[in-house]
Amino acid sequence: MLVEEVMKKEVITLPSHARIETALNLLNKYHIRHIPIVNDEKEILGIVSDRDVRDASPSIFDQNHSKQLKNEIQTIMSKPVITVHPLDFVEEVAGIFYENEIACVPVTKNNKLIGIVTEKDVLYTLIQLTGIHEQSSQLEIRVEDKIGTLPKITNLIGEYKINISSVLIYPDKREPNKKIIVFRIQTMNPIPVIESLKNDDYEVLWPNISGVKQ
């Protein structure tokens, strides 16, 4: 899935000379956590988070409370800013969040801001990609890491006229020469599929249903 399919196009922004109190009011009013800072050409200059604003906001008992909130936003904004392109993959954005320990990236095209993607957007997208929001059953199968295994299993599932919502594959930590394939299939009764898999000597890790041939 591409970034342009999940990004928010309506983005609250501020110029670098805006006051911190303005950012604070916008964060509270729109219940958002990040505000990109842009120039008149919509080019990214920086970004501020609710934490940046909170850290810059003095205690109400501080005599300089009002004065500090009138400082320009550019004094606390983070820069340079990591951005992504609308044609990047959402999975790549998840990697950016993890590696850089951030929770939001502006989306730019021709160096101009056109959208924003947050950690919540990515998490929701991954939920959709895994298919767990649909009525379905999950199968986990340990297989040899060799060519042709995946189509054989999908063909076997297809014999039962069952749609596959999603497929995930990851390395088996216990056995490096094997993979774990996770299927989400659109049935609430996976037992016939499990029996067929086991009859073909596939190792079904989940569900481990009693009474089904091991």
Side-chain angles (χ1 to χ4, degrees), residues 2-203:
L2 300 177
V3 166
E4 65 180 3
E5 299 177 66
V6 304
M7 70 182 188
K8 292 182 176 67
K9 297 180 181 179
E10 300 295 327
V11 186
I12 304 296
T13 63
L14 283 173
S16 59
H17 56 78
R19 294 175 177 177
I20 295 174
E21 64 180 352
T22 303
L24 179 60
N25 291 335
L26 290 174
L27 290 168
N28 292 333
K29 179 179 179 180
Y30 294 102
H31 305 289
I32 55 178
R33 295 179 56 195
H34 301 85
I35 301 178
I37 310 304
V38 300
N39 59 20
D40 293 340
E41 285 73 41
K42 292 295 182 181
E43 296 170 331
I44 298 285
L45 302 178
I47 192 167
V48 294
S49 69
D50 56 348
R51 182 174 180 177
D52 297 327
V53 174
R54 184 173 62 249
D55 290 346
S57 301
S59 166
I60 59 173
F61 300 107
D62 192 322
Q63 294 181 348
N64 296 317
H65 179 265
S66 298
K67 182 178 179 181
Q68 292 183 52
L69 286 177
K70 294 187 184 302
N71 289 337
E72 292 186 349
I73 199 72
Q74 62 183 330
T75 61
I76 65 168
M77 71 182 185
S78 299
K79 60 178 183 179
V81 182
I82 297 173
T83 63
V84 296
H85 189 274
L87 298 183
D88 288 340
F89 290 105
V90 174
E91 298 92 318
E92 296 171 349
V93 177
I96 291 173
F97 286 165
Y98 177 77
E99 292 171 6
N100 296 278
E101 297 183 350
I102 57 177
C104 168
V105 286
V107 183
T108 59
K109 185 176 182 180
N110 299 324
N111 294 322
K112 298 184 185 299
L113 178 70
I114 63 169
I116 196 168
V117 177
T118 67
E119 201 171 39
K120 185 176 180 180
D121 297 327
V122 171
L123 181 59
Y124 178 71
T125 301
L126 294 179
I127 288 173
Q128 289 184 303
L129 291 176
T130 57
I132 63 174
H133 61 296
E134 302 174 345
Q135 282 196 334
S136 57
S137 298
Q138 181 168 306
L139 300 177
E140 293 189 16
I141 309 162
R142 180 184 284 123
V143 300
E144 297 289 339
D145 185 11
K146 60 183 181 180
I147 296 173
T149 300
L150 181 60
K152 287 180 181 178
I153 298 177
T154 55
N155 287 337
L156 184 153
I157 295 172
E159 291 176 2
Y160 290 88
K161 308 300 181 184
I162 296 174
N163 287 331
I164 298 173
S165 299
S166 66
V167 181
L168 298 175
I169 303 175
Y170 60 90
D172 185 355
K173 293 182 179 179
R174 291 169 47 189
E175 301 182 56
N177 63 326
K178 293 188 177 182
K179 299 281 189 181
I180 306 296
I181 305 180
V182 182
F183 289 93
R184 190 160 286 277
I185 58 177
Q186 293 181 4
T187 179
M188 299 308 292
N189 179 23
I191 292 177
V193 176
I194 294 171
E195 289 178 334
S196 185
L197 286 167
K198 290 184 175 181
N199 286 335
D200 284 2
D201 295 324
Y202 288 107
E203 184 181 0

